Amino acid sequence: MAYNFKKIEAAWQKVWAKNKHKIWAAEDQSVKPKQYVLDMFPYPSGEGLHVGHVEGYTASDVYSRFMRMNGYNVVHPMGWDAFGLPAENYAIKTKQHPEKVVKKNVKRFQEQLQSLGFSYDWQREINTTDPEYYKWTQWIFVQLFKKGLAYEAELPVNWCPKDKTVLANEEVVDGCCERCGTAVERRNLKQWILKITAYADRLLNDLDGLDWPERVKEMQRNWIGRSEGAIIKFQVVSSKFQIEVFTTRPDTLAGVTYMVLAPEHPLIGKLVVNAENVKEIESYIQKSKNKSDRERQENKEKTGVALKGVMAVNPISQEKIPVWIADYVLAQYGTGAIMAVPQHDERDREFAEAFHLPIIDKPLIDKETAIQKAGGVKKVNFKLRDWIFSRQRYWGEPIPIIKCPTCGNQPVAEEDLPVKLPNVKNYEPTGNAESPLAAITKWVNVKCPKCGGDAKRETNTMPQWAGSCWYYLAYLMRGISNFQFPISKYKEVFDHWLPVDLYLGGVEHAVLHLLYARFWHKFLFDIGVVSTSEPFKKLVNQGLILGPDGQKMSKSKGNVVSPDEMVEKFGADSLRLYEMFMGPLEDAKPWDPTGIVGVHRFLGRIYNLALKIQNPKSKIQNSKLDQLLHKTIKKVTEDIQGFHFNTAISALMILLNEIEKQPEAAAAHVPTIAKLLFPLAPHLAQEVWKMLGNKGLLDHEEWPKYEKALIEDAEFELVIQINGKVRDHVMVKKGIGQSEAEKLTLNREIVKKWLEGKPPKKIIFVKDRLLNVIV
RNA sequence: GCUCGGGUGGCGGAACGGCAGACGCAAUGGACUCAAAAUCCAUCGAUCGCAAGGUCAUGAGGGUUCAAGUCCCUCCCCGAGCACCA
């Protein structure tokens, strides 16, 4: 009988689905040690699950099942990150409510995940678009507002003209919208902003204690971009104004030959009246304003204009130096002005060469002395900017603020949360600073919670990233009650489960979600909601699965592999096993369409082996096989702990190859194989377990232990080298001494031949390994 | 330009400084079959040799070592991230 994976998988999935998958329910109170295994939850897109999802979700499932069998109380939840542009754009196109689209997509994702046999605690399922969920997203916003960490300000922001919304700095890649690729424009708009910069130092310093991939930590470090320097003031000649600059190189102060202001610098308006070339200056400023950020970045050729007649004084040399305006100086960083040291700074040199400014070589001064002499103050600067938090779109959490003409911005009270998204006729963005919600006057017009007068609701919504900033807490809250106030109810479960022990997902969230979530978590720590300063202790990134052509999978390239198709053709176990076998979890690797056949055959052979066992109670042993079995237990255990699933699988394959040579001993060994295989290929492992006459679920079985004494070999193959090259082998007993090994070696024909009767020059002996004869 | 990762058979990949290429795919030959598929068995880095066996091989070149894919130096190539951040 052939390995009927369809029948087997359907049957066991039915068993698991009983009682809402209660076999995988985590216990909030347990004497067992806890383990929080978290997947980055998916955006339930219309395309369904991707093989990349399957990779990460399989890895975390293998680990969860393994930890359960090792006696841990594991919480392994799943949910949906369902707010955001794709659902909304789809809604606009098809005139359907995004909620309907999300519902449909979620159903598909649930079916797909269950068809792969993932052991999620489905009772804790969450959806960020559920009002009971976003009630809490709004609650956290209110807390941020109350602590002054959410504020409104008008500032130049990134505007995507296609999606018609503001974007955060993190959402702009190479000057383009991260979602749609359209070049981003700069607009001055009043926006809600979260003060992530208040946490810059802690976000940076606490990275050191995290068990995360070094490259992700490095990306966050670069993004936060801390630099130490000083603020130094330069007096403008015959004027009351001073130009402030930030520099990391006060030691080069003597070499400053000119200064540069960013075109947006507020002082320009005041200085320009004294300049001789007002028209020229105005035209330059206008020109740079018209440039998009992308154009400014692309054009590395330096442009600029002098403030003719305006001079500043070098505080060290007292020399008068010219003042220029140039757009290579950024308004948003430092003070928006620089002191230029063309001798030491490449950009300053380029500019000086282009505009024939002096380049002088003065000796460096001691840093401290320079700051003191120039009357400066030490200052730490960050590249990180505050998080622009409003979006002018429909499908997001409404910002829970009421705008009162007399009282100003008032937060919505806890008992009035959630502020539900109203139904609208048109989801189309308005194209100005308001979301489509602004058109719903019935919803917009409210009474001020403070004075009771007429007021209006904030109509902007939160960005895509809001809901995912705290979802790992939501799973825990879900366990005890349905998201009820007050927050203190949840203190105990947070303290029990946090931090997340293992967080698995793609590297693409390195500076977005992972930075935002750390920020919110630290805030929640500060206000006493959680007791750990970091949310995710260990992070593992799965590598990208590339198309068979080695290119990134994309619809346009036609190289997308569908998990559904693989499940249909080879089964869930084969797909899971293949994705784990392809290569190291963290590496990018191409999909080999024929490769899955190999693991499928392996599973089929295990099934056939179990089928052939006549007497499952047979105790026929084979000492060599038994030893290999225990070595395999050791290898698989250590490899799963270290996420080396590919080598764990190959160890199981080696074991099977050997057992097939001694089928009479199979009955004694196959049950252990079933246990070892269970985390990786749960359906077949469970089926084999049953075929061998066992009742019950492998979920409740204990992970096999190996016997140390058994895996110790009595003998080993001594490698004999002549001049470092392998020439011979001989089986000897373990622990053999050097003199005995030498005697044995020098008597061997091959060695005698190489020695040609001469005595060896030198002999290297490595215990229980090799003997190297130097001739 | 800067910062991280990487370069090992036809392919995916193994390898505490100690037998390079485990395991799998593909390929080739064979068994079974009227035939094919499936399955099973064998071979499978290159090269010289009838064979025994030898030689060369982990991006390139040097070095350390009895011994280097692994450690050190120089360079080349690929991937990712950052990029006028003062």
Side-chain angles (χ1 to χ4, degrees), chain A residues 1-5 8 607-608 611:
Chain A
M1 218 182 10
Y3 163 40
N4 188 342
F5 58 85
I8 293 169
Y607 179 82
N608 286 332
L611 205 63

Side-chain angles (χ1 to χ4, degrees), chain A residues 243-256:
Chain A
I243 300 171
E244 269 191 15
V245 302
F246 172 74
T247 178
T248 54
R249 297 292 308 272
D251 53 327
T252 66
L253 252 168
V256 175

Side-chain angles (χ1 to χ4, degrees), chain A residues 8-34:
Chain A
I8 293 169
E9 291 178 359
W12 288 109
Q13 279 167 21
K14 214 172 140 191
V15 172
W16 296 334
K18 267 188 204 155
N19 304 320
K20 293 184 162 182
H21 302 90
K22 244 191 180 144
I23 33 166
W24 303 317
E27 303 160 49
D28 284 328
Q29 260 126 27
S30 171
V31 288
K32 295 181 192 171
K34 70 98 183 178

Side-chain angles (χ1 to χ4, degrees), chain A residues 260-263 284 288 291 296 301 303-304 325-330:
Chain A
V260 187
L261 305 176
Y284 180 77
S288 12
K291 279 189 203 169
R296 271 206 196 185
E301 233 169 83
T303 63
I325 298 168
D327 64 8
Y328 81 91
V329 173
L330 306 173

Side-chain angles (χ1 to χ4, degrees), chain A residues 138 141 192 389-391 397-401 458 460-462:
Chain A
Q138 291 173 334
F141 180 89
W192 280 99
F389 200 67
S390 8
R391 298 294 180 273
E397 303 87 345
I399 291 177
I401 291 287
E458 168 65 53
N460 279 330
T461 53
M462 297 189 198

